[in-house]
Amino acid sequence: MSTVELTKDNFDEIVSGNDFVLINFWATWCGPCKRFAPIFARSSDKHEDLVFAKVETDSEPELSAAFQIQSVPTLMIVRDNIAVFSQPGALPPAALEDVIGQVRGLDMDQVRASVAESQQSERAE
């Protein structure tokens, strides 16, 4: 499966419309981004049930700012509309597969409860 280009115009539709989205924040001038791109693409071929998307940070500064992207590449995973993973740096293939496996194994009811608890405690402060 090929990766989807995310823009401010299609971001909400793609992320909200899918249960599991891997987002690669990258830049054309970034050497590590260029090395990570084929790893990301090969993983998308292995996991056809997941959405693999990319955001070119120079073309989409609003998205980069919204997610506080400070270095590229940064991999973010959104599951059930909750960002459950975000890490800067190019991952080797085995590490990417491990992260995907860990995110697949998350108990999303527990994640949602944790997010709600965190939001409630922030409001109380």
Side-chain angles (χ1 to χ4, degrees), residues 5 17 75 78 83 113 118:
E5 286 284 341
L75 176 67
V78 178
S118 176

Side-chain angles (χ1 to χ4, degrees), residues 5 12 20 24 27 30 32 36 47 49 57 66 68 75 83-84 87 93-95 99 112 118-119 124:
E5 286 284 341
D12 288 338
F20 198 124
N24 177 17
C30 167
F36 182 60
H47 301 281
D49 59 321
T57 56
Q68 301 174 344
L75 176 67
V84 295
Q87 179 177 313
V99 168
R112 280 186 284 280
S118 176
Q119 289 172 340

Side-chain angles (χ1 to χ4, degrees), residues 80 82 84 105-118:
D80 296 346
I82 299 171
V84 295
L106 287 175
D107 178 341
M108 290 309 293
D109 289 333
Q110 187 176 33
V111 170
R112 280 186 284 280
S114 176
V115 168
E117 182 181 309
S118 176

Side-chain angles (χ1 to χ4, degrees), residues 44-93:
S44 75
D45 291 339
K46 289 182 190 175
H47 301 281
E48 293 184 2
D49 59 321
L50 308 180
V51 174
F52 284 70
K54 55 187 177 178
V55 174
E56 205 285 309
T57 56
D58 291 332
S59 298
E60 297 296 329
E62 297 92 346
L63 288 177
S64 301
F67 290 98
Q68 301 174 344
I69 302 302
Q70 296 182 4
S71 66
V72 288
T74 291
L75 176 67
M76 180 176 288
I77 301 177
V78 178
R79 185 158 168 217
D80 296 346
N81 291 312
I82 299 171
V84 295
F85 179 85
S86 181
Q87 179 177 313
L91 296 174

